Amino acid sequence: MIAPRLETERLILRPHERADFADLHAMWSDLEVTRHISGRASTAEESWARLLRYAGHWAMLAFGYWALQDRKTGRFIGEAGLADYQREIEPPFAGAPEAGWVLAQRAHGQGFATEAMSAILAWADAHLPAGPTVCIISPAHQPSVHVAEKLGYERRDERPYKGQQVTVFERGHRAAVGIATPGRE
């Protein structure tokens, strides 16, 4: 399976392509983009592994990340989706898909993350088994905290992960909590 194409008012969410590598690496090697994620720029090798990991998620788990393309310009502006990173975090996420989003600096502050993740979560609610999704965010990264809250994620706790505190958020599956999902009876 590969990522299905989704469209929103301003975005095309599509499977990653090999041709995305240069833009993906430019984004992941930008310290302004990564300072709240890893705290360092990614190497080309790490960016390539990330691109391959995205394809692997879809092939093995039938969910994963989408490349985000600006409908107006056609430019790659970031990526968002759901993953299972098998994080060594206590307590573990117990198989709950982990939501994530990252945007190129030029796309920050324009609502693209919320727009993309809203479409992705609607897709997940319609296609994945009922259950929660989680996300982890550095407490200092207030723009991402705000996105998570707008998407319906609730703070659960703070935990150490790779030597830093992260806030764990959780969102229930809409069908499981009785909220209508577009396209469902």
Side-chain angles (χ1 to χ4, degrees), residues 23-63:
D23 289 327
L24 180 148
H25 178 55
M27 179 179 69
W28 282 100
S29 63
D30 181 341
L31 286 172
E32 184 59 32
V33 171
T34 62
R35 73 185 165 118
H36 293 297
I37 301 170
S38 64
R40 63 176 188 78
S42 291
T43 66
E45 180 180 346
E46 290 165 332
S47 294
W48 180 250
R50 181 174 279 112
L51 181 62
L52 297 177
R53 181 172 60 204
Y54 294 149
H57 263 85
W58 283 101
M60 295 185 72
L61 302 174
F63 64 85

